[in-house]
Amino acid sequence: MCHPAWGRALAQDQRLKDLVRLRRVRDRIARAYAQPLNMETLARGVNWPAGHLSRQFRLAYGQSPYAFLMTRRVERAKALLRGGDLTVTEIGFLVGYSSQGVFRTRFAELVGMTPSAYRSGAAAATGTPPIPVRNGEAFLAEPELA
């Protein structure tokens, strides 16, 4: 029979390999955020079933791959909206949304206001972009540290 430490070492080695796979998926989503992505394609890239990838991604990063993709798209949209050169519709398509309605809805869920309202001065007035408020994922006010 094996020494117990060998089993722990093997488990630790597998965990590190799994984290490398998850980082690869996260980096792919971050790079290809404007392209259509689905779980099956992402999972196939790391030789995992889609459900397993989704569960492991959530455990490692605290959100699903889909939520990470939406967050990345909205982050990029916010940067483009601050630039002011493109229309809101053009920005929605550039960041990967095929529907202006979906773009508006997801943006409002994550930022707390529509893309047009964000552009019209909310970011400039406060000096910093608003924090995400979707599903209670962020504080609406600064937490008290007393």
Side-chain angles (χ1 to χ4, degrees):
M1 187 166 257
C2 299
H3 191 276
W6 295 347
R8 286 191 298 275
L10 288 173
Q12 179 66 18
D13 183 55
Q14 185 60 47
R15 179 70 182 141
L16 292 175
K17 288 178 182 177
D18 290 350
L19 288 173
V20 168
R21 286 176 169 178
L22 291 169
R23 194 171 315 120
R24 217 177 315 148
V25 170
R26 186 196 65 200
D27 291 347
R28 182 174 179 192
I29 294 170
R31 276 191 321 272
Y33 66 89
Q35 299 171 359
L37 294 172
N38 63 43
M39 281 303 298
E40 289 74 27
T41 304
L42 293 171
R44 196 171 25 253
V46 292
N47 297 317
W48 275 351
H52 182 71
L53 171 61
S54 185
R55 283 187 299 276
Q56 293 304 312
F57 195 97
R58 185 181 295 277
L59 284 172
Y61 298 113
Q63 61 184 349
S64 70
Y66 179 77
F68 180 77
L69 173 62
M70 293 300 110
T71 301
R72 179 68 181 110
R73 285 179 175 174
V74 167
E75 286 171 354
R76 183 65 183 135
K78 284 168 50 176
L80 292 170
L81 287 165
R82 285 191 300 267
D85 296 341
L86 302 169
T87 68
V88 172
T89 301
E90 290 171 330
I91 290 170
F93 289 129
L94 274 176
V95 298
Y97 292 98
S98 58
S99 162
Q100 182 63 20
V102 173
F103 171 55
R104 247 180 85 87
T105 302
R106 295 291 177 253
F107 192 95
E109 282 178 355
L110 288 169
V111 179
M113 64 183 70
T114 66
S116 298
Y118 182 85
R119 168 174 270 169
S120 67
T126 62
T128 59
I131 59 172
V133 294
R134 182 178 67 110
N135 298 333
E137 290 176 354
F139 294 102
L140 294 173
E142 289 293 317
E144 305 231 357
L145 300 176

